[in-house]
Each structure stands twice: as structure tokens, then as C-alpha cells.
Amino acid sequence: MAAQPTSTSGRRPARLSRDSIVNAALTFLDREGWDALTINALATQLGTKGPSLYNHVHSLEDLRRTVRMRVVADIIGMLNTVGQGRTRDDAVTAMASAYRSYAHHHPGRYSAFTRMPLGGDDPEFTEATRAAAAPVISVLGSYGLDGENAFYAALEFWSAMHGFVLLEMTGAMNGIDADAVYSDMVVRLASGMERR
């Protein structure tokens, strides 16, 4: 019987499937970053060769798209969980805190999330992008916002949080009490929803 191939660490490589490859890509992203994600780099992490991955993913773009869709689903799930049973300022504060925490704990995944276009020629991906705003739009309903007003308010809310998180990640917030500034920003955003 032929010997099983082993990884560079001497261990047998894990059995490959589309799901195991996507999970490995998510872990890879947080350690190495979005730009480092290639088929060969991921294959090395999995203890195999690049061509083996093509039995499960069609291309690097297919893998990246699937990873982005998974991240969107994870963020939607997280926001729904923290927002459940909450309304108005309480919900906004909880969601903003969870969003920032996700970005800090999963920087590579967050980078994948922020690279999604708000429109484009991929209807499923465009729909997922819009769905990412759904938990926030739901909470904004407790302020009396609905329809297009709620969508644009959610977009403004996300823009403020995303901008702050990016400034933190690039070191622009070093030397200040970022927790206090973020909390104040979220309170101001919430009070703005109240006035709208």
C-alpha cells in the first residue's frame, strides 16, 4: 500500500473539502491578510499542493468570493445575536461594540468584508451586501426610520464605525483613549437617529 503524503510538518494533511478550504482561508486571512491569500499559500498551510485545491474551488476569485460571503453571514449573525431583544440606543451601542470587536479580533476577515462592492454584476453578492445592513436597519426601525431612510442611516452608521476602526488599525488612534472616543461617537450617532 502506498504511503499517504505528509505535510512539511510531518503530519498527514487534513482531508480536503470546499468547507475545510474556506475555513482554512478564514484562519489564513486573520494571520496573513487579504493580499497574501493565494491558492499556493493556502495549500502550503494545508500541507498540500495548489492543484489539490482546484478539486474543490474553481479559482482564487471563487475562493475569495466564498470567503467574503461567509464573512458577511458571520457578521449578520453576530449583529442579529447582539441586537436581539434590544432597541434604540441600547441596541445601537451593543452592535457598535460587537462590530468593533469583530474587526479587532478578525482583521483579515474584516478586510475581506470591507472589500465588498455595494453593487456590481453579481446579483447574489449584491444581495448579501445589502443583507449585511438588515440587522442595523431593523434596530433603526425602533427610532421610527424605515425604507430608504433606514437604509441610508444604516450606511452612515456603518461608514462612521468603519472609518474609526480603520484609523485604529493604521495606528492613527495611538495615544488617545480610543474606547472613550468610540463610545462618544456611537452615542452621538444614536442621538442623531433620535432626531431624524
Side-chain angles (χ1 to χ4, degrees):
M1 188 168 143
Q4 291 287 327
T6 57
S7 69
T8 53
S9 64
R11 293 178 292 129
R12 286 186 181 168
R15 191 166 198 68
L16 293 179
S17 67
R18 186 174 179 86
D19 201 47
S20 70
I21 291 168
V22 171
N23 288 335
L26 291 168
T27 301
F28 180 95
L29 282 177
D30 286 336
R31 192 176 61 248
E32 304 294 336
W34 176 263
D35 293 327
L37 179 62
T38 65
I39 294 293
N40 287 335
L42 186 58
T44 299
Q45 174 180 294
L46 289 166
T48 188
K49 303 288 185 192
S52 300
L53 272 60
Y54 287 115
N55 292 324
H56 308 280
V57 295
H58 303 301
S59 63
L60 177 59
E61 186 49 43
D62 174 39
L63 175 62
R64 287 184 165 189
R65 179 186 183 277
T66 304
V67 163
R68 286 192 302 260
M69 294 287 279
R70 175 78 72 82
V71 170
V72 169
D74 288 349
I75 289 175
I76 291 171
M78 172 198 68
L79 292 177
N80 278 325
T81 298
V82 300
Q84 192 169 21
R86 300 174 189 259
T87 59
R88 301 172 70 87
D89 295 7
D90 181 40
V92 167
T93 302
M95 285 181 162
S97 177
Y99 180 90
R100 181 177 176 224
S101 179
Y102 182 93
H104 284 292
H105 286 93
H106 300 292
R109 296 177 204 200
Y110 184 73
S111 179
F113 174 67
T114 59
R115 289 171 187 254
M116 13 176 250
L118 290 175
D121 55 5
D122 182 337
E124 184 185 6
F125 197 59
T126 300
E127 182 61 31
T129 304
R130 292 228 168 215
V136 177
I137 290 172
S138 176
V139 165
L140 295 179
S142 64
Y143 290 102
L145 297 171
D146 59 11
E148 198 170 81
N149 285 336
F151 177 75
Y152 286 117
L155 193 56
E156 292 162 15
F157 185 63
W158 175 66
S159 298
M161 292 188 301
H162 174 58
F164 192 95
V165 166
L166 279 186
L167 288 171
E168 281 189 296
M169 289 179 161
T170 58
M173 293 291 187
N174 291 349
I176 67 164
D177 186 348
D179 292 340
V181 174
Y182 190 75
S183 295
D184 284 351
M185 180 188 78
V186 171
V187 167
R188 287 189 181 95
L189 287 168
S191 68
M193 303 299 176
E194 182 76 50
R195 287 194 299 275
R196 285 172 87 142

